[in-house]
Amino acid sequence: MAAAQVMKSEWTKIRSVQSTVWTLASALVVTVAFGALFSALSNSQFSNMPRSDQLTFDPTSVSFAGIVLGQLALIVFGVLVVSNEYSTGMIRMSLAAVPQRGTFYVSKIVVATVLAFVIGVVTSFLTYFLGQALLGVHRSHIGDPGVLRAVFGASLYMTLITMFSMGIASLLRSPMLSLGILMPFFFLISNILGSVSATKKVGQYLPDQAGSKITQVVSGSNSAPYGPWAGLGIMALWVAAAVLAGYVLLKKRDA
């Protein structure tokens, strides 16, 4: 089967399963809603902040505070796209129809990645403009230095999170096992390792900690020893390792 036909079949699988469609919609709604909430609260509490916090206030980064929760929906989307076929047994029919496992795997990754990127771009620009409107006089402008990079970078970050989840789900095959590892990792373990002084240097190189640097504009709000694009590059290396490992195991294991 040609690659274009395989991609078309993967697109059909994704849009015909309600759970994958709803998780993408949830990622948009949750990210925008919580970004707006944090922006409104920051605006109302700005005068009560310590002077040091006011001087390092990053309105662009504040508007993206909802990504922490929105990315959980993208993780679920990435896991379901890959592991649904294993949990239902459809993977045997899919591989029988497309015996070229490389074509099958790449097509699935590409279709889901393009979808995540489109949703990421819409989400990041909506989040930014709504958040800045709610920040009032403390807002930034899209033309300010580093702001457009942060807004577009946020969409790349959300896309990479989805790809990383697909790679892990390809390794583990089980949706429950994949979510059981990814959710605590991103929601608890990564934040703890990145916050505790004894493990902070290690935590800074975890995929979400490094990649989220791209959404920050004001220097000094993050003490990581790398810049925004270098942070996204570190995250891309994690994603490449996960996706490649998933491909290797797909080639070696039986369906």
Side-chain angles (χ1 to χ4, degrees):
M1 189 180 290
Q5 293 174 303
V6 180
M7 287 188 188
K8 187 177 180 180
S9 69
E10 292 301 323
W11 163 242
T12 302
K13 290 176 191 174
I14 291 175
R15 66 183 175 84
S16 61
V17 178
Q18 286 191 347
S19 57
T20 55
V21 176
W22 278 108
T23 48
L24 277 179
S26 298
L28 189 154
V29 172
V30 170
T31 304
V32 173
F34 279 91
L37 177 62
F38 282 113
S39 297
L41 289 174
S42 297
N43 185 41
S44 65
Q45 296 299 315
F46 187 85
S47 59
N48 298 325
M49 292 180 183
R51 182 61 178 165
S52 59
D53 290 348
Q54 292 181 352
L55 292 174
T56 58
F57 184 70
D58 188 341
T60 304
S61 180
V62 167
S63 64
F64 287 119
I67 280 185
V68 175
L69 296 173
Q71 73 181 6
L72 298 181
L74 291 172
I75 291 170
V76 175
F77 170 74
V79 168
L80 292 180
V81 164
V82 173
S83 60
N84 260 347
E85 289 193 77
Y86 287 99
S87 61
T88 60
M90 283 187 60
I91 188 68
R92 289 187 288 274
M93 288 183 280
S94 295
L95 292 180
V98 189
Q100 304 93 343
R101 296 195 175 191
T103 302
F104 170 74
Y105 186 70
V106 171
S107 298
K108 185 181 289 293
I109 296 289
V110 167
V111 171
T113 298
V114 169
L115 273 174
F117 177 70
V118 171
I119 292 297
V121 169
V122 173
T123 301
S124 60
F125 277 89
L126 270 177
T127 299
Y128 173 74
F129 284 113
L130 180 58
Q132 299 312 302
L134 294 170
L135 280 168
V137 296
H138 308 298
R139 65 175 297 173
S140 65
H141 297 85
I142 195 70
D144 292 345
V147 172
L148 184 58
R149 179 264 300 161
V151 177
F152 186 69
S155 64
L156 295 177
Y157 171 82
M158 288 185 275
T159 304
L160 289 174
I161 278 286
T162 306
M163 294 180 70
F164 183 76
S165 303
M166 287 190 285
I168 297 299
S170 300
L171 287 171
L172 301 176
R173 295 186 172 193
S174 164
M176 296 303 294
L177 183 58
S178 300
L179 293 175
I181 291 176
L182 288 171
M183 288 294 188
F185 177 79
F186 283 113
F187 207 57
L188 293 174
I189 298 173
S190 177
N191 289 326
I192 292 173
L193 292 177
S195 301
V196 177
S197 57
T199 58
K200 191 171 184 178
K201 289 184 178 179
V202 176
Q204 288 174 336
Y205 290 92
L206 295 176
D208 58 329
Q209 298 286 326
S212 62
K213 177 83 173 176
I214 196 72
T215 64
Q216 299 167 358
V217 173
V218 177
S219 60
S221 58
N222 187 312
S223 60
Y226 46 75
W229 288 113
L232 199 68
I234 293 170
M235 184 181 187
L237 291 176
W238 278 96
V239 172
V243 171
L244 182 60
Y247 170 69
V248 170
L249 289 186
L250 177 67
K251 290 278 286 184
K252 289 186 175 181
R253 292 187 299 199
D254 293 333

